[in-house]
Amino acid sequence: MAVDIVMPQMGESIFEGTITKWLKKPGDKVERDEPLFEISTDKVDAEIPSPSAGVLKEIKVGEGQTVPIQTIVGVIDAAGSTAASSAPAPAKTPPAAAPAPAISRPAAPAPAAAPPAAASSSSSSTSERIHSSPLVRRMAKERGIDLSAIQGTGAGGRISKQDIEAVIAAGGAPAATPPAYSAPTPAVVSRPALPPPAAAPGVSGGQAHVALETAVPREKMYFGSYEVQPMSPMRQRIAEHMVASKRVSAHVYSVDEIDMTKVAALRAKSKDEFERRYETKLTFMPFFVKAAVAGLRAFPTLNASLDGTNVILHKEINVGIAVALDWGLLVPVVKNADEKNILGIQRNMNDLAERARSKKLKPEEVQESTFSITNPGVFGGLFGLPVISQPNVGILGLGAIEKRPVVINDSIAIRSMCYVTLSYDHRVVDGAIAHQFLHKVKETLENWNEPIL
């Protein structure tokens, strides 16, 4: 029995997804709930499990292609029916007659023309079986290289441009430079030819354009003094969100400096016992979250979003925490942060960050934030001016905590200092409110009185 694999809906507001990687290839056995492919959506990256045990029969949507939810992206032959369905097919398909004319065709022309034709047909059929890009296939064809003889070093045995260049360098074919530089022109010209076959059912308008663009195999290309590196699906989403936020919100920035000496001393004193007792590390972030909660309680205008000409003041305080990943950035949300103590916030953040890095986050865990915090200081930044995460009207940026000489009561002292910035939407928040909020955050941290253990 054939089981369709569909693009799942990863949240109420998500209507399409991009397949970033197939973890199985046609003919591979799969178990039910075994990770089958990875997708990227507007909200989160995730591994999608197999809906059934059996054999992956067909992949209908390739890597890099964007399709609407519920689109069939592949087919599985369910366990038990695989043998029954696959055995008759070869028996009934003595279309050995079909290949015969194809093989006899090269024999008819002059002998000199036969080898290139055979090489080209064998390389194109081989490339279908072993994963390679149009650029790689074109290079192989131009130099008469048989792709079946090359062991790909890319993911899943994919043959990359570097693999072809290595063969050329080893003397497999003449390494002519002009073809390498002429590669971009066919690539650009070939894109308009793709729309008719690539259009997916149910995709229309702008979505069809996105699907066709992302359906083109994407890989690095090198041109002498520079390198062309296509943006990943997540990078594209980040770009879209950031540009939209700058276009929509009237960004204004305020900066303040906080004396973190008391918090730093308390953390240094308690972190070993905290980790031993609760089996989780204690960072500075929960302190900033608690201070932000205090500020949002005092100035709820910052715990808001804008809907047309209506300002929506949220009763819940859900704090989005930016998490830097090797492949991009996610903002998982600590829900009801105002109801949690330091331990609760720390555990929640650690769990979200770990699952963000292993692509196990659920879409709802990156939604419904009412305010956000980002921490460029963890990478040594003095401070940053972050872009507001929509639909929030404010985001707090944290700088590095470092010891500096400061004046206290007309004396110079060494203190642990930290710059903080607030990016806010001036359509909703005025400068007076922004600075009062920052002062509340500063006051909470400099006069910390909440127990940790």
Side-chain angles (χ1 to χ4, degrees), residues 106-125:
S120 121
S121 69
S122 100
S123 77
S124 84
S125 65

Side-chain angles (χ1 to χ4, degrees), residues 181 184 221-228:
Y181 280 87
M221 292 192 291
Y222 301 89
F223 302 99
S225 62
Y226 65 93
E227 170 187 324
V228 177

Side-chain angles (χ1 to χ4, degrees), residues 161-172:
K161 182 170 180 280
Q162 289 83 349
D163 295 329
I164 290 288
E165 290 174 338
V167 172
I168 294 172

Side-chain angles (χ1 to χ4, degrees), residues 111-250:
S120 121
S121 69
S122 100
S123 77
S124 84
S125 65
T126 302
S127 62
E128 290 296 320
R129 292 193 302 270
I130 58 176
H131 298 302
S132 59
S133 71
L135 174 63
V136 167
R137 293 196 292 274
R138 183 165 52 252
M139 291 177 67
K141 182 178 178 181
E142 289 171 351
R143 293 164 175 82
I145 297 173
D146 184 1
L147 290 178
S148 64
I150 300 175
Q151 181 64 45
T153 59
R158 185 182 183 87
I159 297 176
S160 67
K161 182 170 180 280
Q162 289 83 349
D163 295 329
I164 290 288
E165 290 174 338
V167 172
I168 294 172
T177 50
Y181 280 87
S182 67
T185 307
V188 173
V189 173
S190 68
R191 282 198 177 188
L194 281 173
V203 181
S204 62
Q207 289 182 336
H209 178 71
V210 172
L212 294 168
E213 285 294 304
T214 54
V216 179
R218 307 172 62 81
E219 64 175 46
K220 295 181 184 179
M221 292 192 291
Y222 301 89
F223 302 99
S225 62
Y226 65 93
E227 170 187 324
V228 177
Q229 187 176 52
M231 296 173 75
S232 67
M234 175 178 278
R235 196 76 254 163
Q236 292 177 51
R237 299 294 186 274
I238 293 172
E240 291 165 4
H241 287 274
M242 295 300 97
V243 170
S245 182
K246 294 290 283 188
R247 185 175 63 246
V248 169
S249 294

Side-chain angles (χ1 to χ4, degrees), residues 346-377:
Q346 185 71 76
R347 275 187 171 159
N348 198 172
M349 287 194 312
N350 289 351
D351 173 59
L352 290 170
E354 178 60 32
R355 288 191 292 111
R357 295 185 180 98
S358 60
K359 299 183 179 180
K360 302 295 184 184
L361 280 180
K362 300 173 183 176
E364 58 267 24
E365 292 174 323
V366 294
Q367 296 175 335
E368 300 178 0
S369 68
T370 59
F371 187 79
S372 301
I373 299 177
T374 184
N375 185 15

